[in-house]
PDB file of all heavy atoms in Angstrom:
ATOM      1  N   ARG A 459     101.470-127.873 181.493  1.00  0.00           N
ATOM      2  CA  ARG A 459     101.622-127.363 180.124  1.00  0.00           C
ATOM      3  C   ARG A 459     100.347-126.689 179.641  1.00  0.00           C
ATOM      4  O   ARG A 459     100.390-125.679 178.936  1.00  0.00           O
ATOM      5  CB  ARG A 459     102.031-128.494 179.185  1.00  0.00           C
ATOM      6  CG  ARG A 459     103.438-129.027 179.473  1.00  0.00           C
ATOM      7  CD  ARG A 459     103.913-129.950 178.365  1.00  0.00           C
ATOM      8  NE  ARG A 459     103.105-131.150 178.254  1.00  0.00           N
ATOM      9  CZ  ARG A 459     103.326-132.267 178.930  1.00  0.00           C
ATOM     10  NH1 ARG A 459     104.346-132.338 179.786  1.00  0.00           N
ATOM     11  NH2 ARG A 459     102.553-133.323 178.774  1.00  0.00           N
ATOM     12  N   PHE A 460      99.199-127.241 180.031  1.00  0.00           N
ATOM     13  CA  PHE A 460      97.921-126.629 179.664  1.00  0.00           C
ATOM     14  C   PHE A 460      97.825-125.210 180.218  1.00  0.00           C
ATOM     15  O   PHE A 460      97.433-124.270 179.508  1.00  0.00           O
ATOM     16  CB  PHE A 460      96.758-127.473 180.188  1.00  0.00           C
ATOM     17  CG  PHE A 460      95.410-126.808 180.046  1.00  0.00           C
ATOM     18  CD1 PHE A 460      94.722-126.856 178.852  1.00  0.00           C
ATOM     19  CD2 PHE A 460      94.841-126.110 181.120  1.00  0.00           C
ATOM     20  CE1 PHE A 460      93.486-126.227 178.711  1.00  0.00           C
ATOM     21  CE2 PHE A 460      93.617-125.491 180.989  1.00  0.00           C
ATOM     22  CZ  PHE A 460      92.934-125.553 179.780  1.00  0.00           C
ATOM     23  N   LYS A 461      98.197-125.045 181.471  1.00  0.00           N
ATOM     24  CA  LYS A 461      98.093-123.741 182.121  1.00  0.00           C
ATOM     25  C   LYS A 461      99.155-122.764 181.626  1.00  0.00           C
ATOM     26  O   LYS A 461      98.905-121.566 181.519  1.00  0.00           O
ATOM     27  CB  LYS A 461      98.182-123.927 183.642  1.00  0.00           C
ATOM     28  CG  LYS A 461      97.028-124.751 184.204  1.00  0.00           C
ATOM     29  CD  LYS A 461      97.298-125.260 185.606  1.00  0.00           C
ATOM     30  CE  LYS A 461      96.191-126.197 186.061  1.00  0.00           C
ATOM     31  NZ  LYS A 461      96.444-126.785 187.396  1.00  0.00           N
ATOM     32  N   LYS A 462     100.324-123.290 181.307  1.00  0.00           N
ATOM     33  CA  LYS A 462     101.415-122.438 180.850  1.00  0.00           C
ATOM     34  C   LYS A 462     101.084-121.757 179.520  1.00  0.00           C
ATOM     35  O   LYS A 462     101.497-120.623 179.278  1.00  0.00           O
ATOM     36  CB  LYS A 462     102.692-123.270 180.718  1.00  0.00           C
ATOM     37  CG  LYS A 462     103.926-122.446 180.391  1.00  0.00           C
ATOM     38  CD  LYS A 462     105.168-123.329 180.315  1.00  0.00           C
ATOM     39  CE  LYS A 462     106.403-122.506 179.966  1.00  0.00           C
ATOM     40  NZ  LYS A 462     107.620-123.357 179.858  1.00  0.00           N
ATOM     41  N   GLN A 463     100.334-122.458 178.642  1.00  0.00           N
ATOM     42  CA  GLN A 463     100.022-121.895 177.332  1.00  0.00           C
ATOM     43  C   GLN A 463      99.189-120.614 177.430  1.00  0.00           C
ATOM     44  O   GLN A 463      99.198-119.781 176.512  1.00  0.00           O
ATOM     45  CB  GLN A 463      99.270-122.923 176.485  1.00  0.00           C
ATOM     46  CG  GLN A 463      97.841-123.182 176.950  1.00  0.00           C
ATOM     47  CD  GLN A 463      97.134-124.227 176.123  1.00  0.00           C
ATOM     48  OE1 GLN A 463      97.320-124.298 174.913  1.00  0.00           O
ATOM     49  NE2 GLN A 463      96.329-125.056 176.773  1.00  0.00           N
ATOM     50  N   TRP A 464      98.505-120.411 178.560  1.00  0.00           N
ATOM     51  CA  TRP A 464      97.708-119.197 178.764  1.00  0.00           C
ATOM     52  C   TRP A 464      98.570-118.018 179.223  1.00  0.00           C
ATOM     53  O   TRP A 464      98.075-116.900 179.356  1.00  0.00           O
ATOM     54  CB  TRP A 464      96.618-119.448 179.800  1.00  0.00           C
ATOM     55  CG  TRP A 464      95.596-120.441 179.380  1.00  0.00           C
ATOM     56  CD1 TRP A 464      95.634-121.792 179.580  1.00  0.00           C
ATOM     57  CD2 TRP A 464      94.372-120.196 178.684  1.00  0.00           C
ATOM     58  NE1 TRP A 464      94.522-122.392 179.054  1.00  0.00           N
ATOM     59  CE2 TRP A 464      93.722-121.438 178.498  1.00  0.00           C
ATOM     60  CE3 TRP A 464      93.760-119.030 178.206  1.00  0.00           C
ATOM     61  CZ2 TRP A 464      92.494-121.548 177.852  1.00  0.00           C
ATOM     62  CZ3 TRP A 464      92.522-119.143 177.568  1.00  0.00           C
ATOM     63  CH2 TRP A 464      91.911-120.389 177.392  1.00  0.00           C
ATOM     64  N   GLY A 465      99.826-118.294 179.481  1.00  0.00           N
ATOM     65  CA  GLY A 465     100.713-117.245 179.982  1.00  0.00           C
ATOM     66  C   GLY A 465     100.893-117.273 181.487  1.00  0.00           C
ATOM     67  O   GLY A 465     101.553-116.391 182.054  1.00  0.00           O
ATOM     68  N   ALA A 466     100.310-118.283 182.168  1.00  0.00           N
ATOM     69  CA  ALA A 466     100.441-118.384 183.621  1.00  0.00           C
ATOM     70  C   ALA A 466     101.881-118.712 184.012  1.00  0.00           C
ATOM     71  O   ALA A 466     102.576-119.452 183.313  1.00  0.00           O
ATOM     72  CB  ALA A 466      99.494-119.450 184.161  1.00  0.00           C
ATOM     73  N   LYS A 467     102.310-118.158 185.160  1.00  0.00           N
ATOM     74  CA  LYS A 467     103.671-118.383 185.646  1.00  0.00           C
ATOM     75  C   LYS A 467     103.634-119.270 186.895  1.00  0.00           C
ATOM     76  O   LYS A 467     102.700-119.198 187.691  1.00  0.00           O
ATOM     77  CB  LYS A 467     104.340-117.050 185.977  1.00  0.00           C
ATOM     78  CG  LYS A 467     104.528-116.156 184.763  1.00  0.00           C
ATOM     79  CD  LYS A 467     105.186-114.846 185.166  1.00  0.00           C
ATOM     80  CE  LYS A 467     105.367-113.933 183.956  1.00  0.00           C
ATOM     81  NZ  LYS A 467     106.004-112.641 184.330  1.00  0.00           N
ATOM     82  N   PRO A 468     104.667-120.107 187.083  1.00  0.00           N
ATOM     83  CA  PRO A 468     104.689-121.009 188.244  1.00  0.00           C
ATOM     84  C   PRO A 468     105.169-120.322 189.515  1.00  0.00           C
ATOM     85  O   PRO A 468     106.146-119.565 189.496  1.00  0.00           O
ATOM     86  CB  PRO A 468     105.675-122.097 187.803  1.00  0.00           C
ATOM     87  CG  PRO A 468     106.601-121.408 186.853  1.00  0.00           C
ATOM     88  CD  PRO A 468     105.782-120.357 186.150  1.00  0.00           C
ATOM     89  N   TYR A 469     104.482-120.599 190.608  1.00  0.00           N
ATOM     90  CA  TYR A 469     104.882-120.120 191.932  1.00  0.00           C
ATOM     91  C   TYR A 469     104.964-121.345 192.846  1.00  0.00           C
ATOM     92  O   TYR A 469     103.956-122.016 193.086  1.00  0.00           O
ATOM     93  CB  TYR A 469     103.883-119.097 192.469  1.00  0.00           C
ATOM     94  CG  TYR A 469     103.925-117.797 191.707  1.00  0.00           C
ATOM     95  CD1 TYR A 469     103.206-117.626 190.522  1.00  0.00           C
ATOM     96  CD2 TYR A 469     104.723-116.736 192.135  1.00  0.00           C
ATOM     97  CE1 TYR A 469     103.264-116.433 189.801  1.00  0.00           C
ATOM     98  CE2 TYR A 469     104.784-115.545 191.427  1.00  0.00           C
ATOM     99  CZ  TYR A 469     104.055-115.403 190.254  1.00  0.00           C
ATOM    100  OH  TYR A 469     104.121-114.230 189.551  1.00  0.00           O
ATOM    101  N   PRO A 470     106.164-121.667 193.360  1.00  0.00           N
ATOM    102  CA  PRO A 470     106.369-122.934 194.080  1.00  0.00           C
ATOM    103  C   PRO A 470     105.580-123.034 195.382  1.00  0.00           C
ATOM    104  O   PRO A 470     105.417-122.051 196.110  1.00  0.00           O
ATOM    105  CB  PRO A 470     107.881-122.935 194.363  1.00  0.00           C
ATOM    106  CG  PRO A 470     108.468-121.966 193.403  1.00  0.00           C
ATOM    107  CD  PRO A 470     107.412-120.914 193.185  1.00  0.00           C
ATOM    108  N   HIS A 471     105.115-124.248 195.634  1.00  0.00           N
ATOM    109  CA  HIS A 471     104.538-124.586 196.936  1.00  0.00           C
ATOM    110  C   HIS A 471     105.610-125.273 197.763  1.00  0.00           C
ATOM    111  O   HIS A 471     106.413-126.047 197.245  1.00  0.00           O
ATOM    112  CB  HIS A 471     103.355-125.544 196.768  1.00  0.00           C
ATOM    113  CG  HIS A 471     102.135-124.905 196.221  1.00  0.00           C
ATOM    114  ND1 HIS A 471     101.163-124.365 197.016  1.00  0.00           N
ATOM    115  CD2 HIS A 471     101.722-124.696 194.945  1.00  0.00           C
ATOM    116  CE1 HIS A 471     100.190-123.859 196.253  1.00  0.00           C
ATOM    117  NE2 HIS A 471     100.521-124.039 194.994  1.00  0.00           N
ATOM    118  N   HIS A 472     105.594-124.995 199.052  1.00  0.00           N
ATOM    119  CA  HIS A 472     106.501-125.666 199.981  1.00  0.00           C
ATOM    120  C   HIS A 472     105.634-126.303 201.064  1.00  0.00           C
ATOM    121  O   HIS A 472     104.983-125.600 201.841  1.00  0.00           O
ATOM    122  CB  HIS A 472     107.486-124.667 200.579  1.00  0.00           C
ATOM    123  CG  HIS A 472     108.258-123.905 199.549  1.00  0.00           C
ATOM    124  ND1 HIS A 472     109.271-124.468 198.812  1.00  0.00           N
ATOM    125  CD2 HIS A 472     108.130-122.635 199.105  1.00  0.00           C
ATOM    126  CE1 HIS A 472     109.764-123.571 197.966  1.00  0.00           C
ATOM    127  NE2 HIS A 472     109.079-122.455 198.123  1.00  0.00           N
ATOM    128  N   TRP A 473     105.606-127.629 201.061  1.00  0.00           N
ATOM    129  CA  TRP A 473     104.831-128.366 202.059  1.00  0.00           C
ATOM    130  C   TRP A 473     105.819-128.917 203.082  1.00  0.00           C
ATOM    131  O   TRP A 473     106.624-129.820 202.775  1.00  0.00           O
ATOM    132  CB  TRP A 473     104.025-129.482 201.409  1.00  0.00           C
ATOM    133  CG  TRP A 473     102.887-128.962 200.561  1.00  0.00           C
ATOM    134  CD1 TRP A 473     102.677-127.678 200.163  1.00  0.00           C
ATOM    135  CD2 TRP A 473     101.817-129.723 200.014  1.00  0.00           C
ATOM    136  NE1 TRP A 473     101.543-127.576 199.396  1.00  0.00           N
ATOM    137  CE2 TRP A 473     100.984-128.815 199.281  1.00  0.00           C
ATOM    138  CE3 TRP A 473     101.465-131.061 200.049  1.00  0.00           C
ATOM    139  CZ2 TRP A 473      99.842-129.232 198.607  1.00  0.00           C
ATOM    140  CZ3 TRP A 473     100.327-131.480 199.377  1.00  0.00           C
ATOM    141  CH2 TRP A 473      99.519-130.560 198.671  1.00  0.00           C
TER     142      TRP A 473
END
Side-chain angles (χ1 to χ4, degrees):
R459 293 191 296 272
F460 171 82
K461 297 164 186 177
K462 186 178 179 181
Q463 71 182 323
W464 295 90
K467 296 179 181 180
Y469 291 84
H471 287 269
H472 305 286
W473 290 12

